[in-house]
Amino acid sequence: MSLTATPRVDVSAPTTAAAKIFNHPRNAWYVASWDHEVTGKQPLARTVAGVPLALWRNAEGRAVALADACWHRLAPLSQGKVLGNELQCPYHGLRYNSTGRCTAMPAQETINPSAAVPSYPVVERYRYVWVWVGDPDLADPATVPDMHQMDDPDWAGDGETIHADCNYQLVLDNLMDLTHEEFVHSSSIGQEELSESEFDVSHDGDTVTVTRWMRDIDAPPFWLKNMRDKFPGFEGKVDRWQIITFQAPGTICIDVGVAKAGTGAPEGDRSHGVNGFVMNTITPETHRSCHYFWAFMRNYRLDSQTITTQLRQGVHGVFGEDEDMLRAQQRAIDANPDHEFYSLNIDAGGMWVRQILERMLAAEGRPAAAPFPARGA
């Protein structure tokens, strides 16, 4: 289904959004960490969708995710030691294998047959460690969201992690509507054409796509610099695009770029421009915090580490402005529990995202709205 979302809102989507503190589905793949963060030396503590995990790498080099609480006295296993194919509890030395089964109890020879901790399905793909904290029988690796630009040799780039002190849905809202760039990022990527241009919204199954083209405009500072990296001394107007694709439950890949105006970019010829992908995947931690993994990948000047570093630093600054706004927004939500969200036409993509997440939560028998008074849940 597709619609032109300016100047009207899709009337089949709700115009208000009562779930300001959004619940998180558990039957889904979430990124728990970058692959290099999980080692065979020290476990990594990470909470995914409200589930505390101890992440480690066994002697075969495979990433493992166990519940971060020892069977015996709930001591955090993330504070323990990796011993080959086992993880040792830091409190009384119980050892667990990759399946979560206890293999040794130093204080006694007989191992209690109930001694085990949950082990969660793990997939390593696209430079990330993905974990499924819901029903393990539903964990199909084929459903990991597509982020192939992350390790495709035709693309180069790098990224970082933001620990965002807000509900994960606020980050998804932020990324699905980029008109905020005009106001939050006015010195780098923002321009008034963002709000003035029309956009198209389509949705299919568990995906939503928002497409916006801005033709024959001045390039904002960020994009003018990128054009000059590829075409030294570039001057003139550009055609700019933003194609935002959401994949449930929290991955948003944004095809972005500019090309010399009138050279065919809207028709598919981007050879006179620069193209990047802003790769975002957001993992809920608690109802008021999330892990925001991002990278900027490009398909030009692939051998330049300087450009990779400059782009990472530039996007870091842009996302820092978003982080400040999202943190302030979460504080205002907590201070105004009775205020209802309202939606504008620019929120059409985000509203479809919310409908998909509501459907996923309903399938798990869980409400869309988290208990509002609950903090750290």
Side-chain angles (χ1 to χ4, degrees):
M1 177 178 179
S2 178
L3 59 115
T4 299
T6 299
R8 66 180 186 275
V9 184
D10 177 7
V11 295
S12 67
T15 56
T16 61
K20 297 186 293 294
I21 305 296
F22 221 80
N23 223 333
H24 33 253
R26 292 202 175 103
N27 287 328
W29 291 106
Y30 290 110
V31 168
S33 70
W34 293 83
D35 54 10
H36 65 80
E37 294 183 278
V38 179
T39 73
K41 298 178 180 179
Q42 181 65 37
L44 173 69
R46 190 62 48 88
T47 297
V48 172
V51 180
L53 302 174
L55 302 167
W56 53 289
R57 202 172 288 281
N58 64 21
E60 285 76 41
R62 184 168 61 85
V64 179
L66 298 183
D68 195 14
C70 180
W71 166 85
H72 175 222
R73 287 291 187 268
L74 301 181
L77 295 177
S78 60
Q79 296 181 17
K81 296 180 181 179
V82 178
L83 302 174
N85 281 317
E86 297 174 324
L87 181 59
Q88 184 180 62
C89 173
Y91 198 8
H92 296 99
L94 278 70
R95 296 186 184 184
Y96 298 90
N97 63 20
S98 298
T99 68
R101 175 64 55 187
C102 182
T103 58
M105 294 179 171
Q108 62 188 59
E109 293 183 5
T110 302
I111 298 175
N112 189 309
S114 70
V117 298
S119 177
Y120 299 91
V122 171
V123 171
E124 291 196 68
R125 194 171 297 170
Y126 312 130
R127 295 162 61 181
Y128 291 132
V129 175
W130 302 77
V131 177
W132 183 288
V133 296
D135 182 348
D137 292 334
L138 301 178
D140 181 0
T143 62
V144 170
D146 178 17
M147 301 185 78
H148 71 271
Q149 292 88 350
M150 292 292 295
D151 55 14
D152 188 320
D154 291 332
W155 295 83
D158 202 358
E160 297 178 351
T161 308
I162 297 171
H163 183 263
D165 293 324
C166 66
N167 183 263
Y168 79 111
Q169 181 61 53
L170 298 183
V171 183
L172 299 180
D173 285 346
N174 173 274
L175 292 168
M176 292 303 295
D177 165 36
L178 298 182
T179 61
H180 74 271
E181 292 177 357
E182 178 182 348
F183 310 101
V184 181
H185 312 305
S186 58
S187 64
S188 57
I189 57 177
Q191 56 190 142
E192 61 186 14
E193 287 86 354
L194 286 157
S195 296
E196 295 172 351
S197 60
E198 293 189 351
F199 61 96
D200 181 79
V201 180
S202 61
H203 56 95
D204 182 17
D206 291 339
T207 66
V208 180
T209 301
V210 178
T211 302
R212 173 182 278 107
W213 280 91
M214 293 154 277
R215 293 171 171 82
D216 197 30
I217 64 172
D218 291 324
F222 177 87
W223 285 113
L224 181 59
K225 189 261 183 213
N226 290 333
M227 278 292 280
R228 289 174 175 172
D229 282 340
K230 184 176 179 181
F231 306 105
F234 173 82
E235 297 287 350
K237 301 288 188 177
V238 298
D239 294 331
R240 181 181 179 185
W241 66 89
Q242 296 173 330
I243 304 172
I244 310 164
T245 301
F246 165 83
Q247 302 170 79
T251 296
I252 297 177
C253 301
I254 311 177
D255 176 0
V256 292
V258 297
K260 183 178 179 180
T263 57
E267 293 73 40
D269 181 3
R270 300 180 179 183
S271 60
H272 296 273
V274 287
N275 189 187
F277 263 83
V278 188
M279 315 297 289
N280 312 275
T281 188
I282 295 86
T283 298
E285 180 185 46
T286 70
H287 289 139
R288 285 174 171 79
S289 63
C290 58
H291 309 289
Y292 180 1
F293 300 89
W294 65 265
F296 188 95
M297 309 299 293
R298 70 183 187 283
N299 64 356
Y300 60 94
R301 298 286 303 277
L302 301 182
D303 59 342
S304 175
Q305 181 59 44
T306 297
I307 292 177
T308 295
T309 300
Q310 289 173 342
L311 284 169
R312 185 183 66 241
Q313 292 173 342
V315 177
H316 171 91
V318 169
F319 283 179
E321 295 170 335
D322 283 320
E323 187 180 0
D324 291 342
M325 178 57 68
L326 293 168
R327 188 184 302 113
Q329 185 184 8
Q330 184 65 63
R331 288 197 299 266
I333 289 171
D334 290 341
N336 297 275
D338 296 326
H339 184 82
E340 190 168 3
F341 277 0
Y342 289 86
S343 295
L344 306 175
N345 62 330
I346 55 176
D347 299 309
M351 295 307 296
W352 282 114
V353 167
R354 287 172 176 258
Q355 286 199 3
I356 290 170
L357 293 173
E358 287 174 353
R359 186 175 71 238
M360 294 177 69
L361 287 161
E364 296 179 17
R366 302 171 63 220
F372 198 89
R375 294 180 182 274

